[in-house]
Amino acid sequence: MKILVCISNVPDTTSKINFTDGDTKFDSNGVQFVINPNDEFGLTRAMWFKEKQGASVHVATVGGPTTEPTIRKALAIGADEAFRVNAEPTDGFFVAEQLAEVVKNGNYDLVIAGRESIDYNGGMVPGILATLLDMNFVNTCIGLEIDGTNATAMREIDGGKEKLTTSLPLVIGGQKGLVEESDLRIPNMRGIMMARKKALTVIEPINASAATADTKFEKPAAKGAVKLVDNVDDLVNLLHNEAKAI
């Protein structure tokens, strides 16, 4: 079984976010980038398939040279090979088109992507990717078992969980629950040294155009001052007339 894990290079959640050029561009200065958490759950599950079922695991990202430390981390965790599409990830449709080309050329049985990235939270790539490839698709996936060409997936739905059976080839949009957080792996020294010898192939992008464009970014409004009340009548009045909560 050949598995491709799609990796997104995202800012660490502890990073301070700023914008430049009149709030039209993200300022990456001083920002620490990491593997998108939803993708990391998927990578960890792929490593289980590698160790238990002998699967080969490749990883791919769309981005410039600055994304290579992140994808090298995926290699250090245990992926066999990596691909970097040499293009800025302008929007979800563009990224999906580039990744679809990687999948077609690699003849993969299973494509694992995160449900969404934590920077833009678009949640578009896995579904578009499955459509472009004409593959079965399970989103919000929190469990996956493979038996030959048959797959059993568990996904999160409103108010509960849903168990599905399908077949390979398959695209999933994974998230927290696909593996336990305690199962996530930190690269050890041996893994880091081995990652330096593994192939990281740079691919030029196919001719594709972005379907959307960012016009402006805006930070959440600052929280207002706290109002203290010492009786129920004043509290009810504020909730009703000012907060419009009741």
Side-chain angles (χ1 to χ4, degrees):
M1 179 168 60
K2 286 186 69 177
I3 302 174
L4 181 70
V5 181
C6 304
I7 300 292
S8 185
N9 184 57
V10 299
D12 189 286
T13 54
T14 61
S15 298
K16 186 176 181 179
I17 301 302
N18 291 301
F19 304 104
T20 60
D21 298 348
D23 292 337
T24 60
K25 293 183 179 179
F26 172 66
D27 184 4
S28 61
N29 290 321
V31 175
Q32 177 69 37
F33 285 84
V34 297
I35 298 175
N36 180 49
N38 287 321
D39 302 341
E40 193 167 3
F41 288 118
L43 177 60
T44 304
R45 190 58 181 162
M47 295 310 304
W48 187 93
F49 289 125
K50 175 181 177 179
E51 294 166 359
K52 303 297 184 182
Q53 299 183 2
S56 60
V57 177
H58 296 175
V59 292
T61 193
V62 178
T66 57
T67 65
E68 290 194 5
T70 297
I71 204 164
R72 284 284 181 193
K73 180 183 176 183
L75 290 173
I77 287 172
D80 301 303
E81 191 174 340
F83 300 95
R84 177 175 69 81
V85 180
N86 190 30
E88 288 302 312
T90 48
D91 76 344
F93 187 75
F94 177 82
V95 169
E97 285 189 301
Q98 304 303 326
L99 292 174
E101 194 69 13
V102 176
V103 176
K104 291 174 186 175
N105 292 333
N107 195 29
Y108 293 97
D109 304 296
L110 174 63
V111 180
I112 301 177
R115 179 193 69 183
E116 62 183 0
S117 60
I118 63 168
D119 48 4
Y120 292 98
N121 299 105
M124 297 184 292
V125 171
I128 296 174
L129 186 57
T131 301
L132 293 173
L133 295 167
D134 194 25
M135 287 186 178
N136 295 325
F137 175 50
V138 178
N139 203 16
T140 61
C141 189
I142 56 173
L144 182 66
E145 299 289 344
I146 305 292
D147 182 11
T149 61
N150 298 316
T152 302
M154 187 76 70
R155 74 185 191 102
E156 192 173 66
I157 60 174
D158 288 343
K161 302 174 183 177
E162 182 180 34
K163 187 176 182 179
L164 303 169
T165 57
T166 184
S167 60
L168 303 181
L170 172 68
V171 177
I172 71 162
Q175 63 177 54
K176 182 179 179 180
L178 191 57
V179 297
E180 297 295 329
E181 287 191 70
S182 58
D183 292 330
L184 296 177
R185 305 182 180 194
I186 299 174
N188 55 32
M189 185 55 66
R190 183 172 181 272
I192 293 170
M193 297 302 293
M194 290 181 65
R196 295 178 181 177
K197 300 178 181 179
K198 293 178 180 178
L200 196 168
T201 304
V202 178
I203 303 170
E204 290 306 311
I206 62 170
N207 186 20
S209 58
T212 60
D214 297 321
T215 56
K216 189 176 182 181
F217 295 97
E218 185 177 342
K219 290 184 178 181
K223 293 182 179 180
V226 175
K227 289 187 177 181
L228 300 176
V229 294
D230 55 10
N231 65 76
V232 174
D233 290 339
D234 288 345
L235 176 60
V236 170
N237 180 58
L238 287 171
L239 289 173
H240 181 69
N241 296 312
E242 191 168 316
K244 308 296 183 184
I246 58 173

